[in-house]
Amino acid sequence: NAGVTQTPKFQVLKTGQSMTLQCAQDMNHEYMSWYRQDPGMGLRLIHYSVGAGITDQGEVPNGYNVSRSTTEDFPLRLLSAAPSQTSVYFCASRPTGNQPQHFGDGTRLSIL
Amino acid sequence: QQPVQSPQAVILREGEDAVINCSSSKALYSVHWYRQKHGEAPVFLMILLKGGEQKGHEKISASFNEKKQQSSLYLTASQLSYSGTYFCGTEDTSGTYKYIFGTGTRLKVLA
């Protein structure tokens, strides 16, 4: 059972480039979320989804897009990368009913 | 608004005890606690579902007071392996189903 899988694990981009961070889960969880964690800081919610076809904004959504076409996949798109988006990105999923998050290993993203 | 944790950081000697608090300005239906080691993803420790109920994990336990909108994590006889950053997490109770984390507490245990 793979759990939550994030790809890539590391990425370096130039300012202005776009890219998609992939996230897939095989636990049939309805809820999926993306967080960013800056060095020495907490986890800030970017976007989340409560089911296929349903997404909503978190605390820091600007500069990011998401879609949820299937229960399993929840990709995060950076539209035009900026140095302020240098961070570690975590994807998480959980079942319904006040259940805890299951995390992927994270994507370490640097924007030059 | 995210729950506030206190203290922000704490340094212990092996064998000492610590308490980490998580306070919310909104009602809490449940609280989850996580530990994150440096360079790794957060790992779920325990869930608190009922007011005043305590759960245990190794020598780590927690309590949840619904009325005070608070939860506390108790680390007893700390070990070097307890070092890391601790987060409380909860589902937002305004009906959005978004999941938010507390501000975090960095814990370092010294030999």
Side-chain angles (χ1 to χ4, degrees):
Chain A
N1 196 347
V4 180
T5 302
Q6 289 184 237
T7 56
K9 294 193 184 304
F10 302 92
Q11 184 70 48
V12 179
L13 294 177
K14 293 182 179 179
T15 298
Q17 287 185 316
S18 63
M19 81 159 295
T20 299
L21 308 186
Q22 302 292 342
C23 176
Q25 52 95 6
D26 61 1
M27 297 172 283
N28 203 33
H29 289 169
E30 285 297 315
Y31 299 163
M32 296 187 75
S33 304
W34 276 101
Y35 298 88
R36 62 174 288 175
Q37 187 174 36
D38 299 331
M41 303 293 286
L43 296 150
R44 293 188 291 171
L45 182 64
I46 305 172
H47 285 286
Y48 67 103
S49 169
V50 298
I54 307 170
T55 64
D56 207 344
Q57 296 181 349
E59 307 162 86
V60 288
N62 292 339
Y64 307 94
N65 269 354
V66 291
S67 59
R68 183 99 180 269
S69 56
T70 66
T71 299
E72 294 78 21
D73 299 301
F74 190 43
L76 177 72
R77 279 181 288 277
L78 278 73
L79 308 174
S80 177
S84 61
Q85 293 178 306
T86 292
S87 190
V88 179
Y89 291 83
F90 288 105
C91 178
S93 74
R94 64 190 180 99
T96 58
N98 281 310
Q99 295 300 310
Q101 295 279 31
H102 299 248
F103 283 89
D105 290 337
T107 295
R108 283 146 187 82
L109 183 64
S110 293
I111 315 293
L112 305 177
Chain B
Q1 191 166 354
Q2 64 184 153
V4 176
Q5 291 182 227
S6 62
Q8 287 185 313
V10 58
I11 299 175
L12 301 172
R13 292 282 180 188
E14 262 189 307
E16 292 182 338
D17 302 339
V19 180
I20 298 172
N21 300 302
C22 172
S23 295
S24 174
S25 58
K26 295 182 178 181
L28 295 171
Y29 295 153
S30 67
V31 176
H32 310 124
W33 284 95
Y34 302 79
R35 177 170 60 209
Q36 184 180 29
K37 300 278 191 178
H38 182 70
E40 299 179 4
V43 173
F44 168 67
L45 292 177
M46 66 185 72
I47 181 171
L48 285 304
L49 289 174
K50 296 180 181 178
E53 183 174 0
Q54 291 199 350
K55 293 282 189 178
H57 174 80
E58 300 173 346
K59 292 182 181 178
I60 301 173
S61 62
S63 64
F64 177 31
N65 189 319
E66 288 178 60
K67 286 187 177 180
K68 292 186 177 180
Q69 298 170 181
Q70 291 178 347
S71 178
S72 296
L73 187 71
Y74 307 95
L75 296 98
T76 306
S78 58
Q79 307 167 12
L80 294 176
S81 61
Y82 287 2
S83 293
T85 301
Y86 289 79
F87 293 99
C88 60
T90 188
E91 181 177 291
D92 182 73
T93 54
S94 61
T96 64
Y97 301 106
K98 64 181 174 182
Y99 192 98
I100 55 177
F101 288 91
T103 50
T105 296
R106 290 189 300 279
L107 179 78
K108 187 169 181 61
V109 181
L110 303 176

